[in-house]
Amino acid sequence: MLSLQNAGKRFGPRVLFMEANWLIRAKEKTALVGANGTGKSTLMKVLAGLEQLDYGEIQQTRGMSIGYLPQEGLRLTGRTIFDECLTVFDEIHAMEREIEQLGGRMSELDHSSAEYESTAQRFSLLQERFHALDGYALGAQVGSVLTGLGFGKEDWSRRTDEFSGGWQMRIALAKLLLAKPNLLLLDEPTNHLDLETRNWLEEYLKSYPFGYILISHDRYFLDVTIDRTVEIWNKRLNIYQGNYTKYLRQKDDRRAQLEAAYRNQRGQIEHLEAFINRFRAQATKAKQVQSRIKELEKIERIEIPEEEPVIHFSFPQPPPSGRTVVEAEGLSKSYGEKHVLHNVRFNIERGDRVALVGVNGAGKSTLIKLLTGVETPTTGTVKLGHNVVSEYFAQDQYKVLDPEARMLDDISRAALKVPDSELRSLLGCFLFSGDDVFKKLSVLSGGERNRYALARILVSPSNFLLLDEPTNHLDMRAKDVLLEAIANFSGTVVFVSHDRYFIDRLATRVLEVENGTVISHEGNYEDYLRRKEGLAVQTIAPVAPSVLKPAPVEMQSAAAEDKADPQKDKPKRLNPIKQKQMEDRCTFLEEEIPRIESSIAHTEQQLAVFVSAQETQRLTTLAEDLRAQLGTLTGEWEELMLQLEEQTV
């Protein structure tokens, strides 16, 4: 469908990628990954036709449509949201108008005339095409996508000019999804989406009828939406089959193979050099020495590119707080006529890692501000426990920084006992390297200052951290550092994040903010979803003080009814060990099946060249055996995948 051949691109004097060969087939769902600055966004622009290659060529199928969503910078004006989305159907609207014109014309023509026959044929053709494109349901399509992306019905009639940058990008994404191009190019599509909207987009992309390429720093999002991973590494494209997690495993294997090949080659080179140095001065060995020199010159040296160093950072552990960190009683918050929270009660205990979840506008940020004291309750109280010292990271945290301070000086003042070398490593992980650390904070962008503000919190935390969207503007490497640091933190954490992987790995408890109430769910986000979908036997109770009280009688009876009447059609849950064995077997089969297919292709190539009757017979038997083996393994893989998919239902 689209291919790069021997392609290369520079950014000034620096080579981003070279000798790139990539065949993008129809319906492939691909992630484009690589370290920051390797050229992922530039390559996307090349595929979209917005930038030219410096050498090599790009070819695409005639008539192919490509849709591109950049990270930022789009702004739509002049229409309502609904009308703006309808513009992607201009061709269908033109078709509808022509159908109406043809219908009127047919009513005026003689039914026996040749002109009537040709008009009727055109009318029939257009009607079939209009029905195939679901032309009578365009409004429903627009409404479905806008709702999925978080726009309420009251927003549909608002003009696009009224919306901020993040919502502008959602409108642009809605238009792309409605247009359904043959190839979608999405550069960080989840940047401006909340968790619920990301979940909707995941499901939409799973059923998308064509191919797409994603750049994203959301590991879970990639895992569930892609089946191929292309990495820009060492200035070349490396292609891996499977999702992001499988790519990581395969990458480790490839690097291990490369390092083994490098060691073998070094041994060969050292052996040749030792021979040359030993016998260079002996005339009787001149011929052998020259032969070894030529052999040495022909060796194409294997290079092991430097990997980004893995940063491990630990919070300085704070003094312990009392057992109860926060106690909220009768908590309500209103802004004029708008009631955000009503009569909320809950406790947070020492060591809890609490994720606040809920749709945009539900009141997550309001609740976290009430816990910090930035906002005061309309009614009720928020009481901090004994020896609790809180630290708050806001979405606009950069506003409280000293703009005239240099970055390294400022963070050093916040962490007097941490060596500068360790501070520079931490800043490097948050994408501040080299002379960046000597910049004044005033010259940083809003996103850069927020990244820095988060790094600053890591070096001098309190025993109660409240983090509002800490993963915004972070790549996977920085998220991993933050995740590891918080996981090993002995204090208490309340956080809002739209990164599913981050929540799943970190949260020990989920507080759902919905319709002015707060409901508690023990466990991580996966556990929360199971309960929401009715897949768990535990009863979900409203948030109560952490010293658990017995559930109300009506909730106990509901739980008893659930146990007495289990879902008979629910698939039996696998033992975790058995499931892991099945997943490992699937991984093996996914690597073995392509090898057998390659062997079959090689055997068929050999059969094309006649050597002897015996050899033809041998190769024919071999090919039949390989095909039988392929059928058996493919059947086994399909059966295993069906069983594993049932576990996610």
mmCIF file with all atom_site columns, all heavy atoms in Angstrom, residues 21 48 71 114 132 142-143 145 273 275 281 285 287 314 336 362 367 380 399 420 474 516 527 532 567-568:
data_model
loop_
_atom_site.group_PDB
_atom_site.id
_atom_site.type_symbol
_atom_site.label_atom_id
_atom_site.label_alt_id
_atom_site.label_comp_id
_atom_site.label_asym_id
_atom_site.label_entity_id
_atom_site.label_seq_id
_atom_site.pdbx_PDB_ins_code
_atom_site.Cartn_x
_atom_site.Cartn_y
_atom_site.Cartn_z
_atom_site.occupancy
_atom_site.B_iso_or_equiv
_atom_site.pdbx_formal_charge
_atom_site.auth_seq_id
_atom_site.auth_comp_id
_atom_site.auth_asym_id
_atom_site.auth_atom_id
_atom_site.pdbx_PDB_model_num
ATOM 1   N N   . ASN A 1 21  ? 13.907  0.738   4.794   1.00 0.00 ? 21  ASN A N   1
ATOM 2   C CA  . ASN A 1 21  ? 13.013  -0.004  3.906   1.00 0.00 ? 21  ASN A CA  1
ATOM 3   C C   . ASN A 1 21  ? 11.818  -0.473  4.731   1.00 0.00 ? 21  ASN A C   1
ATOM 4   O O   . ASN A 1 21  ? 11.980  -1.171  5.737   1.00 0.00 ? 21  ASN A O   1
ATOM 5   C CB  . ASN A 1 21  ? 13.733  -1.204  3.294   1.00 0.00 ? 21  ASN A CB  1
ATOM 6   C CG  . ASN A 1 21  ? 14.851  -0.785  2.356   1.00 0.00 ? 21  ASN A CG  1
ATOM 7   O OD1 . ASN A 1 21  ? 14.609  -0.288  1.272   1.00 0.00 ? 21  ASN A OD1 1
ATOM 8   N ND2 . ASN A 1 21  ? 16.086  -0.958  2.803   1.00 0.00 ? 21  ASN A ND2 1
ATOM 9   N N   . ALA A 1 48  ? 3.063   11.260  5.489   1.00 0.00 ? 48  ALA A N   1
ATOM 10  C CA  . ALA A 1 48  ? 1.878   12.076  5.192   1.00 0.00 ? 48  ALA A CA  1
ATOM 11  C C   . ALA A 1 48  ? 2.079   12.970  3.976   1.00 0.00 ? 48  ALA A C   1
ATOM 12  O O   . ALA A 1 48  ? 1.131   13.621  3.523   1.00 0.00 ? 48  ALA A O   1
ATOM 13  C CB  . ALA A 1 48  ? 1.518   12.929  6.409   1.00 0.00 ? 48  ALA A CB  1
ATOM 14  N N   . GLN A 1 71  ? 0.897   16.325  16.659  1.00 0.00 ? 71  GLN A N   1
ATOM 15  C CA  . GLN A 1 71  ? 0.802   16.400  18.121  1.00 0.00 ? 71  GLN A CA  1
ATOM 16  C C   . GLN A 1 71  ? 0.021   17.629  18.569  1.00 0.00 ? 71  GLN A C   1
ATOM 17  O O   . GLN A 1 71  ? -0.712  17.588  19.551  1.00 0.00 ? 71  GLN A O   1
ATOM 18  C CB  . GLN A 1 71  ? 2.207   16.449  18.739  1.00 0.00 ? 71  GLN A CB  1
ATOM 19  C CG  . GLN A 1 71  ? 2.944   15.133  18.717  1.00 0.00 ? 71  GLN A CG  1
ATOM 20  C CD  . GLN A 1 71  ? 4.219   15.205  19.535  1.00 0.00 ? 71  GLN A CD  1
ATOM 21  O OE1 . GLN A 1 71  ? 4.276   15.837  20.584  1.00 0.00 ? 71  GLN A OE1 1
ATOM 22  N NE2 . GLN A 1 71  ? 5.268   14.568  19.047  1.00 0.00 ? 71  GLN A NE2 1
ATOM 23  N N   . ALA A 1 114 ? -33.537 6.674   -24.568 1.00 0.00 ? 114 ALA A N   1
ATOM 24  C CA  . ALA A 1 114 ? -32.172 6.268   -24.199 1.00 0.00 ? 114 ALA A CA  1
ATOM 25  C C   . ALA A 1 114 ? -31.631 7.152   -23.083 1.00 0.00 ? 114 ALA A C   1
ATOM 26  O O   . ALA A 1 114 ? -30.874 6.695   -22.212 1.00 0.00 ? 114 ALA A O   1
ATOM 27  C CB  . ALA A 1 114 ? -31.264 6.350   -25.423 1.00 0.00 ? 114 ALA A CB  1
ATOM 28  N N   . ALA A 1 132 ? -24.008 2.119   0.493   1.00 0.00 ? 132 ALA A N   1
ATOM 29  C CA  . ALA A 1 132 ? -22.786 1.454   0.970   1.00 0.00 ? 132 ALA A CA  1
ATOM 30  C C   . ALA A 1 132 ? -22.006 2.347   1.925   1.00 0.00 ? 132 ALA A C   1
ATOM 31  O O   . ALA A 1 132 ? -21.367 1.862   2.866   1.00 0.00 ? 132 ALA A O   1
ATOM 32  C CB  . ALA A 1 132 ? -21.913 1.056   -0.218  1.00 0.00 ? 132 ALA A CB  1
ATOM 33  N N   . VAL A 1 142 ? -21.546 11.037  13.197  1.00 0.00 ? 142 VAL A N   1
ATOM 34  C CA  . VAL A 1 142 ? -20.892 12.193  13.828  1.00 0.00 ? 142 VAL A CA  1
ATOM 35  C C   . VAL A 1 142 ? -21.190 12.222  15.320  1.00 0.00 ? 142 VAL A C   1
ATOM 36  O O   . VAL A 1 142 ? -20.297 12.393  16.156  1.00 0.00 ? 142 VAL A O   1
ATOM 37  C CB  . VAL A 1 142 ? -21.343 13.508  13.157  1.00 0.00 ? 142 VAL A CB  1
ATOM 38  C CG1 . VAL A 1 142 ? -20.835 14.710  13.953  1.00 0.00 ? 142 VAL A CG1 1
ATOM 39  C CG2 . VAL A 1 142 ? -20.835 13.578  11.728  1.00 0.00 ? 142 VAL A CG2 1
ATOM 40  N N   . GLY A 1 143 ? -22.457 12.021  15.669  1.00 0.00 ? 143 GLY A N   1
ATOM 41  C CA  . GLY A 1 143 ? -22.829 12.046  17.075  1.00 0.00 ? 143 GLY A CA  1
ATOM 42  C C   . GLY A 1 143 ? -22.133 10.967  17.884  1.00 0.00 ? 143 GLY A C   1
ATOM 43  O O   . GLY A 1 143 ? -21.691 11.204  19.015  1.00 0.00 ? 143 GLY A O   1
ATOM 44  N N   . VAL A 1 145 ? -19.171 9.497   17.296  1.00 0.00 ? 145 VAL A N   1
ATOM 45  C CA  . VAL A 1 145 ? -17.748 9.791   17.479  1.00 0.00 ? 145 VAL A CA  1
ATOM 46  C C   . VAL A 1 145 ? -17.549 10.964  18.436  1.00 0.00 ? 145 VAL A C   1
ATOM 47  O O   . VAL A 1 145 ? -16.670 10.928  19.307  1.00 0.00 ? 145 VAL A O   1
ATOM 48  C CB  . VAL A 1 145 ? -17.072 10.066  16.113  1.00 0.00 ? 145 VAL A CB  1
ATOM 49  C CG1 . VAL A 1 145 ? -15.659 10.613  16.300  1.00 0.00 ? 145 VAL A CG1 1
ATOM 50  C CG2 . VAL A 1 145 ? -17.029 8.799   15.278  1.00 0.00 ? 145 VAL A CG2 1
ATOM 51  N N   . GLU A 1 273 ? 44.580  -10.368 13.780  1.00 0.00 ? 273 GLU A N   1
ATOM 52  C CA  . GLU A 1 273 ? 45.591  -9.351  14.090  1.00 0.00 ? 273 GLU A CA  1
ATOM 53  C C   . GLU A 1 273 ? 46.803  -9.969  14.780  1.00 0.00 ? 273 GLU A C   1
ATOM 54  O O   . GLU A 1 273 ? 47.956  -9.573  14.527  1.00 0.00 ? 273 GLU A O   1
ATOM 55  C CB  . GLU A 1 273 ? 44.967  -8.264  14.965  1.00 0.00 ? 273 GLU A CB  1
ATOM 56  C CG  . GLU A 1 273 ? 43.985  -7.378  14.213  1.00 0.00 ? 273 GLU A CG  1
ATOM 57  C CD  . GLU A 1 273 ? 43.287  -6.369  15.112  1.00 0.00 ? 273 GLU A CD  1
ATOM 58  O OE1 . GLU A 1 273 ? 43.288  -6.589  16.350  1.00 0.00 ? 273 GLU A OE1 1
ATOM 59  O OE2 . GLU A 1 273 ? 42.743  -5.373  14.597  1.00 0.00 ? 273 GLU A OE2 1
ATOM 60  N N   . PHE A 1 275 ? 47.948  -13.020 14.358  1.00 0.00 ? 275 PHE A N   1
ATOM 61  C CA  . PHE A 1 275 ? 48.723  -13.737 13.332  1.00 0.00 ? 275 PHE A CA  1
ATOM 62  C C   . PHE A 1 275 ? 49.558  -12.753 12.512  1.00 0.00 ? 275 PHE A C   1
ATOM 63  O O   . PHE A 1 275 ? 50.749  -12.968 12.256  1.00 0.00 ? 275 PHE A O   1
ATOM 64  C CB  . PHE A 1 275 ? 47.780  -14.527 12.429  1.00 0.00 ? 275 PHE A CB  1
ATOM 65  C CG  . PHE A 1 275 ? 48.487  -15.356 11.383  1.00 0.00 ? 275 PHE A CG  1
ATOM 66  C CD1 . PHE A 1 275 ? 48.827  -16.680 11.630  1.00 0.00 ? 275 PHE A CD1 1
ATOM 67  C CD2 . PHE A 1 275 ? 48.839  -14.801 10.145  1.00 0.00 ? 275 PHE A CD2 1
ATOM 68  C CE1 . PHE A 1 275 ? 49.487  -17.440 10.669  1.00 0.00 ? 275 PHE A CE1 1
ATOM 69  C CE2 . PHE A 1 275 ? 49.498  -15.545 9.191   1.00 0.00 ? 275 PHE A CE2 1
ATOM 70  C CZ  . PHE A 1 275 ? 49.833  -16.872 9.446   1.00 0.00 ? 275 PHE A CZ  1
ATOM 71  N N   . ALA A 1 281 ? 57.017  -9.948  9.938   1.00 0.00 ? 281 ALA A N   1
ATOM 72  C CA  . ALA A 1 281 ? 58.442  -9.778  9.575   1.00 0.00 ? 281 ALA A CA  1
ATOM 73  C C   . ALA A 1 281 ? 59.052  -11.014 8.926   1.00 0.00 ? 281 ALA A C   1
ATOM 74  O O   . ALA A 1 281 ? 60.220  -10.994 8.501   1.00 0.00 ? 281 ALA A O   1
ATOM 75  C CB  . ALA A 1 281 ? 59.245  -9.412  10.817  1.00 0.00 ? 281 ALA A CB  1
ATOM 76  N N   . LYS A 1 285 ? 56.268  -16.242 5.548   1.00 0.00 ? 285 LYS A N   1
ATOM 77  C CA  . LYS A 1 285 ? 54.841  -16.154 5.871   1.00 0.00 ? 285 LYS A CA  1
ATOM 78  C C   . LYS A 1 285 ? 54.160  -14.971 5.178   1.00 0.00 ? 285 LYS A C   1
ATOM 79  O O   . LYS A 1 285 ? 53.015  -14.646 5.478   1.00 0.00 ? 285 LYS A O   1
ATOM 80  C CB  . LYS A 1 285 ? 54.662  -15.992 7.383   1.00 0.00 ? 285 LYS A CB  1
ATOM 81  C CG  . LYS A 1 285 ? 55.165  -17.176 8.218   1.00 0.00 ? 285 LYS A CG  1
ATOM 82  C CD  . LYS A 1 285 ? 54.218  -18.348 8.105   1.00 0.00 ? 285 LYS A CD  1
ATOM 83  C CE  . LYS A 1 285 ? 54.631  -19.462 9.071   1.00 0.00 ? 285 LYS A CE  1
ATOM 84  N NZ  . LYS A 1 285 ? 53.700  -20.614 8.990   1.00 0.00 ? 285 LYS A NZ  1
ATOM 85  N N   . LYS A 1 287 ? 52.898  -14.487 2.247   1.00 0.00 ? 287 LYS A N   1
ATOM 86  C CA  . LYS A 1 287 ? 51.661  -14.757 1.515   1.00 0.00 ? 287 LYS A CA  1
ATOM 87  C C   . LYS A 1 287 ? 50.481  -14.939 2.472   1.00 0.00 ? 287 LYS A C   1
ATOM 88  O O   . LYS A 1 287 ? 49.389  -14.397 2.251   1.00 0.00 ? 287 LYS A O   1
ATOM 89  C CB  . LYS A 1 287 ? 51.842  -16.015 0.672   1.00 0.00 ? 287 LYS A CB  1
ATOM 90  C CG  . LYS A 1 287 ? 50.678  -16.284 -0.275  1.00 0.00 ? 287 LYS A CG  1
ATOM 91  C CD  . LYS A 1 287 ? 50.997  -17.468 -1.185  1.00 0.00 ? 287 LYS A CD  1
ATOM 92  C CE  . LYS A 1 287 ? 49.846  -17.721 -2.156  1.00 0.00 ? 287 LYS A CE  1
ATOM 93  N NZ  . LYS A 1 287 ? 50.136  -18.861 -3.053  1.00 0.00 ? 287 LYS A NZ  1
ATOM 94  N N   . SER A 1 314 ? 15.288  7.019   43.726  1.00 0.00 ? 314 SER A N   1
ATOM 95  C CA  . SER A 1 314 ? 14.484  6.760   44.912  1.00 0.00 ? 314 SER A CA  1
ATOM 96  C C   . SER A 1 314 ? 14.213  8.065   45.647  1.00 0.00 ? 314 SER A C   1
ATOM 97  O O   . SER A 1 314 ? 15.109  8.903   45.790  1.00 0.00 ? 314 SER A O   1
ATOM 98  C CB  . SER A 1 314 ? 15.210  5.803   45.858  1.00 0.00 ? 314 SER A CB  1
ATOM 99  O OG  . SER A 1 314 ? 15.419  4.556   45.239  1.00 0.00 ? 314 SER A OG  1
ATOM 100 N N   . GLY A 1 336 ? -21.148 28.410  42.548  1.00 0.00 ? 336 GLY A N   1
ATOM 101 C CA  . GLY A 1 336 ? -22.418 29.020  42.184  1.00 0.00 ? 336 GLY A CA  1
ATOM 102 C C   . GLY A 1 336 ? -23.504 27.951  42.149  1.00 0.00 ? 336 GLY A C   1
ATOM 103 O O   . GLY A 1 336 ? -23.721 27.217  43.114  1.00 0.00 ? 336 GLY A O   1
ATOM 104 N N   . ALA A 1 362 ? -15.777 15.658  36.108  1.00 0.00 ? 362 ALA A N   1
ATOM 105 C CA  . ALA A 1 362 ? -16.472 14.989  37.213  1.00 0.00 ? 362 ALA A CA  1
ATOM 106 C C   . ALA A 1 362 ? -16.089 15.585  38.557  1.00 0.00 ? 362 ALA A C   1
ATOM 107 O O   . ALA A 1 362 ? -16.848 15.486  39.523  1.00 0.00 ? 362 ALA A O   1
ATOM 108 C CB  . ALA A 1 362 ? -16.169 13.490  37.195  1.00 0.00 ? 362 ALA A CB  1
ATOM 109 N N   . LEU A 1 367 ? -11.407 17.698  43.785  1.00 0.00 ? 367 LEU A N   1
ATOM 110 C CA  . LEU A 1 367 ? -11.210 16.896  44.995  1.00 0.00 ? 367 LEU A CA  1
ATOM 111 C C   . LEU A 1 367 ? -9.758  16.952  45.458  1.00 0.00 ? 367 LEU A C   1
ATOM 112 O O   . LEU A 1 367 ? -9.485  17.117  46.660  1.00 0.00 ? 367 LEU A O   1
ATOM 113 C CB  . LEU A 1 367 ? -11.618 15.440  44.728  1.00 0.00 ? 367 LEU A CB  1
ATOM 114 C CG  . LEU A 1 367 ? -11.446 14.470  45.904  1.00 0.00 ? 367 LEU A CG  1
ATOM 115 C CD1 . LEU A 1 367 ? -12.205 14.954  47.125  1.00 0.00 ? 367 LEU A CD1 1
ATOM 116 C CD2 . LEU A 1 367 ? -11.905 13.074  45.509  1.00 0.00 ? 367 LEU A CD2 1
ATOM 117 N N   . GLY A 1 380 ? -18.743 20.758  55.042  1.00 0.00 ? 380 GLY A N   1
ATOM 118 C CA  . GLY A 1 380 ? -17.959 19.597  55.427  1.00 0.00 ? 380 GLY A CA  1
ATOM 119 C C   . GLY A 1 380 ? -16.518 19.959  55.737  1.00 0.00 ? 380 GLY A C   1
ATOM 120 O O   . GLY A 1 380 ? -16.111 21.131  55.689  1.00 0.00 ? 380 GLY A O   1
ATOM 121 N N   . LYS A 1 399 ? 3.806   27.553  37.318  1.00 0.00 ? 399 LYS A N   1
ATOM 122 C CA  . LYS A 1 399 ? 3.510   28.947  37.647  1.00 0.00 ? 399 LYS A CA  1
ATOM 123 C C   . LYS A 1 399 ? 4.087   29.368  38.996  1.00 0.00 ? 399 LYS A C   1
ATOM 124 O O   . LYS A 1 399 ? 4.230   30.553  39.257  1.00 0.00 ? 399 LYS A O   1
ATOM 125 C CB  . LYS A 1 399 ? 1.994   29.172  37.637  1.00 0.00 ? 399 LYS A CB  1
ATOM 126 C CG  . LYS A 1 399 ? 1.379   29.075  36.235  1.00 0.00 ? 399 LYS A CG  1
ATOM 127 C CD  . LYS A 1 399 ? -0.114  29.334  36.268  1.00 0.00 ? 399 LYS A CD  1
ATOM 128 C CE  . LYS A 1 399 ? -0.715  29.254  34.863  1.00 0.00 ? 399 LYS A CE  1
ATOM 129 N NZ  . LYS A 1 399 ? -2.185  29.464  34.884  1.00 0.00 ? 399 LYS A NZ  1
ATOM 130 N N   . ASP A 1 420 ? 25.200  16.680  42.764  1.00 0.00 ? 420 ASP A N   1
ATOM 131 C CA  . ASP A 1 420 ? 24.853  17.271  41.468  1.00 0.00 ? 420 ASP A CA  1
ATOM 132 C C   . ASP A 1 420 ? 24.829  16.231  40.360  1.00 0.00 ? 420 ASP A C   1
ATOM 133 O O   . ASP A 1 420 ? 24.010  16.316  39.430  1.00 0.00 ? 420 ASP A O   1
ATOM 134 C CB  . ASP A 1 420 ? 25.853  18.381  41.109  1.00 0.00 ? 420 ASP A CB  1
ATOM 135 C CG  . ASP A 1 420 ? 25.489  19.704  41.766  1.00 0.00 ? 420 ASP A CG  1
ATOM 136 O OD1 . ASP A 1 420 ? 24.497  19.728  42.524  1.00 0.00 ? 420 ASP A OD1 1
ATOM 137 O OD2 . ASP A 1 420 ? 26.186  20.709  41.518  1.00 0.00 ? 420 ASP A OD2 1
ATOM 138 N N   . LEU A 1 474 ? 5.483   13.497  29.651  1.00 0.00 ? 474 LEU A N   1
ATOM 139 C CA  . LEU A 1 474 ? 6.576   12.569  29.926  1.00 0.00 ? 474 LEU A CA  1
ATOM 140 C C   . LEU A 1 474 ? 6.611   11.470  28.872  1.00 0.00 ? 474 LEU A C   1
ATOM 141 O O   . LEU A 1 474 ? 5.564   10.988  28.432  1.00 0.00 ? 474 LEU A O   1
ATOM 142 C CB  . LEU A 1 474 ? 6.410   11.922  31.306  1.00 0.00 ? 474 LEU A CB  1
ATOM 143 C CG  . LEU A 1 474 ? 6.366   12.835  32.535  1.00 0.00 ? 474 LEU A CG  1
ATOM 144 C CD1 . LEU A 1 474 ? 6.319   11.982  33.796  1.00 0.00 ? 474 LEU A CD1 1
ATOM 145 C CD2 . LEU A 1 474 ? 7.549   13.777  32.574  1.00 0.00 ? 474 LEU A CD2 1
ATOM 146 N N   . GLY A 1 516 ? -21.106 13.741  41.507  1.00 0.00 ? 516 GLY A N   1
ATOM 147 C CA  . GLY A 1 516 ? -21.029 14.388  42.804  1.00 0.00 ? 516 GLY A CA  1
ATOM 148 C C   . GLY A 1 516 ? -20.696 13.466  43.955  1.00 0.00 ? 516 GLY A C   1
ATOM 149 O O   . GLY A 1 516 ? -20.612 13.914  45.105  1.00 0.00 ? 516 GLY A O   1
ATOM 150 N N   . ASP A 1 527 ? -8.841  -4.073  38.409  1.00 0.00 ? 527 ASP A N   1
ATOM 151 C CA  . ASP A 1 527 ? -9.815  -4.575  39.385  1.00 0.00 ? 527 ASP A CA  1
ATOM 152 C C   . ASP A 1 527 ? -11.071 -3.701  39.403  1.00 0.00 ? 527 ASP A C   1
ATOM 153 O O   . ASP A 1 527 ? -12.196 -4.208  39.487  1.00 0.00 ? 527 ASP A O   1
ATOM 154 C CB  . ASP A 1 527 ? -9.192  -4.599  40.786  1.00 0.00 ? 527 ASP A CB  1
ATOM 155 C CG  . ASP A 1 527 ? -7.967  -5.496  40.871  1.00 0.00 ? 527 ASP A CG  1
ATOM 156 O OD1 . ASP A 1 527 ? -7.965  -6.546  40.206  1.00 0.00 ? 527 ASP A OD1 1
ATOM 157 O OD2 . ASP A 1 527 ? -7.006  -5.131  41.573  1.00 0.00 ? 527 ASP A OD2 1
ATOM 158 N N   . LYS A 1 532 ? -16.822 -2.810  37.925  1.00 0.00 ? 532 LYS A N   1
ATOM 159 C CA  . LYS A 1 532 ? -17.774 -1.981  37.194  1.00 0.00 ? 532 LYS A CA  1
ATOM 160 C C   . LYS A 1 532 ? -18.561 -2.818  36.190  1.00 0.00 ? 532 LYS A C   1
ATOM 161 O O   . LYS A 1 532 ? -19.728 -2.579  35.947  1.00 0.00 ? 532 LYS A O   1
ATOM 162 C CB  . LYS A 1 532 ? -17.042 -0.857  36.458  1.00 0.00 ? 532 LYS A CB  1
ATOM 163 C CG  . LYS A 1 532 ? -16.519 0.244   37.343  1.00 0.00 ? 532 LYS A CG  1
ATOM 164 C CD  . LYS A 1 532 ? -17.610 1.197   37.763  1.00 0.00 ? 532 LYS A CD  1
ATOM 165 C CE  . LYS A 1 532 ? -18.012 2.113   36.628  1.00 0.00 ? 532 LYS A CE  1
ATOM 166 N NZ  . LYS A 1 532 ? -18.995 3.121   37.054  1.00 0.00 ? 532 LYS A NZ  1
ATOM 167 N N   . GLN A 1 567 ? -22.946 -16.515 37.017  1.00 0.00 ? 567 GLN A N   1
ATOM 168 C CA  . GLN A 1 567 ? -23.138 -16.406 35.572  1.00 0.00 ? 567 GLN A CA  1
ATOM 169 C C   . GLN A 1 567 ? -22.647 -17.681 34.908  1.00 0.00 ? 567 GLN A C   1
ATOM 170 O O   . GLN A 1 567 ? -21.444 -17.938 34.855  1.00 0.00 ? 567 GLN A O   1
ATOM 171 C CB  . GLN A 1 567 ? -22.375 -15.196 35.013  1.00 0.00 ? 567 GLN A CB  1
ATOM 172 C CG  . GLN A 1 567 ? -22.892 -13.885 35.569  1.00 0.00 ? 567 GLN A CG  1
ATOM 173 C CD  . GLN A 1 567 ? -21.966 -12.762 35.179  1.00 0.00 ? 567 GLN A CD  1
ATOM 174 O OE1 . GLN A 1 567 ? -20.782 -12.796 35.473  1.00 0.00 ? 567 GLN A OE1 1
ATOM 175 N NE2 . GLN A 1 567 ? -22.514 -11.771 34.520  1.00 0.00 ? 567 GLN A NE2 1
ATOM 176 N N   . LYS A 1 568 ? -23.617 -18.470 34.429  1.00 0.00 ? 568 LYS A N   1
ATOM 177 C CA  . LYS A 1 568 ? -23.231 -19.764 33.882  1.00 0.00 ? 568 LYS A CA  1
ATOM 178 C C   . LYS A 1 568 ? -22.482 -19.641 32.569  1.00 0.00 ? 568 LYS A C   1
ATOM 179 O O   . LYS A 1 568 ? -21.683 -20.504 32.216  1.00 0.00 ? 568 LYS A O   1
ATOM 180 C CB  . LYS A 1 568 ? -24.485 -20.624 33.682  1.00 0.00 ? 568 LYS A CB  1
ATOM 181 C CG  . LYS A 1 568 ? -25.143 -21.001 35.010  1.00 0.00 ? 568 LYS A CG  1
ATOM 182 C CD  . LYS A 1 568 ? -26.349 -21.881 34.798  1.00 0.00 ? 568 LYS A CD  1
ATOM 183 C CE  . LYS A 1 568 ? -27.004 -22.257 36.122  1.00 0.00 ? 568 LYS A CE  1
ATOM 184 N NZ  . LYS A 1 568 ? -28.195 -23.103 35.935  1.00 0.00 ? 568 LYS A NZ  1
#
